Amino acid sequence: MVNAEHTPQPQSDTYVIGVDYGTLSGRAVVVRVSDGTELASADHPYTHAVLDRELPDGTPLPPDWALQVPSDYIDVLRIAVPQALAQAGVRPEQVIGIGTDFTACTMLPVLTDGTPLCELPHLTNRPHAYVKLWRHHAAQAQADRITDLAAERKEPWLKRYGGKISSEWEFAKALQLLEEDPELYELTDRWIEAADWIVWRLSGTYVRNACTAGYKGQYQDGTYPSPEYLAALNPGFADFVTTKLDHPIGQLGDLAGTLTAEAAAWTGLPEGIAVCVGNVDAHVTAPAATAVEPGRMVAIMGTSTCHVMSSDRWAEVPGMCGVVDGGILPGLWGYEAGQSGVGDIFGWFIRTGFPESYAKDAAALGRNAHEHLTALAAEQAIGQHGLIALDWQSGNRSVLVDHDLSGVLVGLTLSTRPEDIYRALLEATAFGTRTIIETFETAGVPVQELIMAGGLTKNALLMQIYADVTRRPLGVIDSAQGPALGSAMHAAVAAGAYPDIRAAARAMGKARAGVYQPDPERAAAYDRLYAEYQLLHDYFGRGANEVMHRLRRIRAEASA
């Protein structure tokens, strides 16, 4: 799908390409270096989407798996980049660099030359040979052991991750590979982030990016967890870092290499242009949203939400996904938190709770399902639906860091309508964000402003709910492709057009401040609902009632 962001004009300017790899598709945007103008973008859906039930050959997958096929990522370069370039009316020789960002932690096992194991003909039926997407949560048992052992040994790096390691991260997924398919673990020469693999394919050079190493790989103060610690997890894991993970680390905005002839043929770009060190989709969005000062939290809202913020102070924030020195911007501590399900939750409800009669009404009004339920929900007074929900259909990333948790909906009656549930789900995700903000502030890291990015910013009701629930003004990134714009900006730095990312942000970044303002009366009404959310949050999430974990075990036994 091609989208012209602006009317292309013949230019003698220079341009950069940003490629954003999301959960279901990859998109490319053509950006003018001088002022950040986006000339055109193109989106390419992954052919195989997310493998969460079976492999392409029909091999069934257990619960909580989420895999992808790496050739789908190459297709984005072959299809979306040339489409965006053609639509923009930009000549290839005007492009000086390309930057990429990826979901994280998205991992794949490869050979020494970068070949994914799933591309070897005799391994296509082996689940562990494929990409483990960020939302692969089947390594929860390994993550729990990683956390428990680190706490027992008082490992100093644990406090940098809010005291708990996620099943979404590098070590948990690698330990699962070792323990469930040791043969494939031995065949794996490199355990690599997809963010770095795609840069390797573009430039011919493998550079491990500082962002995923710090946030997802427990790399702190120049070291990983020790071999002694890893051996205590599993004797076969002792040399994991030295034999499969460790690699020279590139800083954000650095030059990883130059575009190879093969990648030039895929993309239609000139061989030899700058290829930027990889980055994470959320983190790369912060400078695109001009969030280069402390206290400005960026919420990148899509299938999930990632909250990132830079600060001049370090603190131990319970349940944060990590704090890394220079992890987002040089010279500041970069914090990350998040919600594992947001847009995914809304999409799930549309798939399962949108009646045929509503679909007919929506079609007659020229609305899609989300637009129709949003319009109906907007007519309600706060609390009128009588519902409260927990936004844990994909588990809880922050602040509980427990992907065995599940969603809750309280207050259903025979009069409950689809728009009631839909609005309760919208509100639940806002309550989840407020929980994250309050946890940061309690830990001594102030959050003055929220800047929203991602496709969900189009929903004005959702944005106003967030402003009212959090009692904060909401800025909105002035770009439909925030991560891709951020990647393009880092490419401009790597190509030498700007001395650093702050300078690039001043020239190329885009955000509108205070687009949504909290209303005191609505905020007070939401305070009452939020108090109920907190009660449910702590009751089900902090050990008072382990029913969610028991149900998870029953489901696993029944599935087996």
Side-chain angles (χ1 to χ4, degrees):
M1 179 176 65
V2 179
N3 175 39
E5 302 287 353
H6 299 273
T7 303
Q9 303 174 13
Q11 298 287 344
S12 59
D13 289 313
T14 55
Y15 300 86
V16 280
I17 306 291
V19 183
D20 168 39
Y21 284 93
T23 299
L24 296 174
S25 66
R27 56 209 60 86
V29 62
V30 182
V31 181
R32 190 159 59 210
V33 171
S34 60
D35 60 5
T37 296
E38 299 168 46
L39 275 75
S41 66
D43 185 275
H44 178 68
Y46 303 143
T47 300
H48 299 91
V50 178
L51 309 176
D52 55 8
R53 294 185 180 274
E54 62 183 23
L55 298 182
D57 69 353
T59 300
L61 293 171
D64 302 319
W65 280 64
L67 308 178
Q68 289 194 316
V69 178
S71 61
D72 289 348
Y73 306 148
I74 301 299
D75 287 345
V76 173
L77 300 176
R78 296 178 189 272
I79 298 168
V81 174
Q83 283 184 349
L85 198 64
Q87 183 70 20
V90 168
R91 301 187 307 276
E93 61 268 23
Q94 293 177 281
V95 178
I96 62 172
I98 182 170
T100 57
D101 66 82
F102 234 101
T103 60
C105 169
T106 295
M107 305 298 302
L108 63 158
V110 301
L111 302 178
T112 17
D113 64 355
T115 301
L117 295 192
C118 63
E119 293 184 358
L120 303 178
H122 64 292
L123 298 180
T124 56
N125 65 340
R126 303 275 282 273
H128 280 288
Y130 286 79
V131 176
K132 286 186 172 69
L133 183 62
W134 66 268
R135 73 182 192 196
H136 175 88
H137 294 147
Q140 186 64 51
Q142 286 79 10
D144 291 342
R145 284 165 47 211
I146 290 170
T147 297
D148 293 344
L149 182 63
E152 178 186 324
R153 291 169 54 99
K154 295 181 171 54
E155 295 287 340
W157 45 263
L158 186 60
K159 63 185 178 182
R160 298 280 180 93
Y161 300 97
K164 205 163 184 181
I165 300 303
S166 171
S167 64
E168 296 180 356
W169 296 355
E170 292 178 5
F171 282 72
K173 288 173 174 171
L175 187 57
Q176 185 196 15
L177 169 60
L178 167 66
E179 294 179 340
E180 295 184 5
D181 198 334
E183 181 186 3
L184 282 189
Y185 181 84
E186 288 303 316
L187 285 174
T188 300
D189 292 317
R190 299 190 190 280
W191 182 243
I192 184 172
E193 283 274 0
D196 299 325
W197 182 78
I198 202 68
V199 170
W200 190 357
R201 296 306 307 267
L202 284 166
S203 68
T205 304
Y206 174 28
V207 179
R208 183 155 161 70
N209 76 86
C211 188
T212 54
Y215 289 100
K216 313 300 179 183
Q218 291 140 255
Y219 183 80
Q220 293 284 350
D221 300 325
T223 61
Y224 292 99
S226 69
E228 293 76 21
Y229 166 80
L230 298 177
L233 283 170
N234 185 311
F237 208 46
D239 62 353
F240 166 66
V241 167
T242 54
T243 61
K244 301 187 188 298
L245 185 68
D246 199 13
H247 203 76
I249 290 178
Q251 297 303 311
L252 309 181
D254 280 359
L255 181 70
T258 58
L259 198 68
T260 65
E262 179 183 41
W266 293 338
T267 59
L269 298 173
E271 181 181 356
I273 64 170
V275 177
C276 186
V277 168
N279 209 326
V280 178
D281 49 5
H283 302 70
V284 79
T285 306
T290 68
V292 293
E293 302 91 15
R296 306 184 77 195
M297 178 177 279
V298 181
I300 301 90
M301 302 181 68
T303 54
S304 65
T305 292
C306 192
H307 305 77
V308 296
M309 185 178 71
S310 293
S311 178
D312 54 3
R313 63 190 73 177
W314 178 87
E316 184 177 348
V317 182
M320 66 182 172
C321 299
V323 54
V324 177
D325 189 6
I328 301 171
L329 294 161
L332 293 174
W333 290 98
Y335 288 86
E336 177 191 346
Q339 293 165 267
S340 291
V342 179
D344 266 357
I345 296 175
F346 310 150
W348 159 80
F349 184 70
I350 292 297
R351 292 193 305 275
T352 59
F354 193 64
E356 183 180 355
S357 60
Y358 275 62
K360 290 179 179 177
D361 291 344
L365 293 167
R367 298 170 176 165
N368 65 35
H370 288 286
E371 291 167 344
H372 189 56
L373 287 182
T374 296
L376 295 175
E379 297 173 2
Q380 299 181 4
I382 294 169
Q384 182 179 339
H385 50 50
L387 302 172
I388 196 76
L390 292 178
D391 50 318
W392 298 347
Q393 280 84 344
S394 289
N396 181 284
R397 183 184 298 163
S398 298
V399 296
L400 300 172
V401 198
D402 187 347
H403 295 290
D404 282 344
L405 296 174
S406 49
V408 169
L409 185 62
V410 175
L412 289 170
T413 73
L414 294 177
S415 299
T416 301
R417 301 165 300 174
E419 59 266 36
D420 300 334
I421 299 174
Y422 191 76
R423 178 162 184 143
L425 295 174
L426 298 182
E427 291 166 345
T429 67
F431 295 147
T433 287
R434 177 168 168 175
T435 301
I436 290 168
I437 291 171
E438 290 185 350
T439 304
F440 269 79
E441 296 221 308
T442 300
V445 182
V447 180
Q448 279 100 21
E449 181 188 8
L450 273 174
I451 304 174
M452 316 306 279
L456 294 181
T457 58
K458 297 175 184 176
N459 188 320
L461 173 64
L462 181 64
M463 294 299 98
Q464 189 60 54
I465 289 172
Y466 270 68
D468 294 334
V469 166
T470 64
R471 291 180 172 267
R472 278 166 177 76
L474 260 59
V476 177
I477 189 171
D478 201 14
S479 169
Q481 307 291 349
L485 173 60
S487 288
M489 289 164 55
H490 281 79
V493 174
Y498 292 99
D500 55 43
I501 191 60
R502 286 187 176 86
R506 286 192 293 270
M508 301 175 71
K510 304 174 183 178
R512 290 172 288 137
V515 177
Y516 296 92
Q517 295 291 330
D519 176 85
E521 289 187 12
R522 290 196 300 264
Y526 272 127
D527 284 345
R528 295 177 64 193
L529 289 178
Y530 179 64
E532 301 299 334
Y533 175 92
Q534 286 181 299
L535 285 173
L536 291 177
H537 177 280
D538 291 349
Y539 179 68
F540 288 110
R542 298 195 187 275
N545 189 330
E546 295 285 343
V547 62
M548 294 179 183
H549 295 126
R550 293 193 296 271
L551 289 173
R552 180 77 57 147
R553 288 193 293 272
I554 291 170
R555 187 185 74 170
E557 292 165 6
S559 298

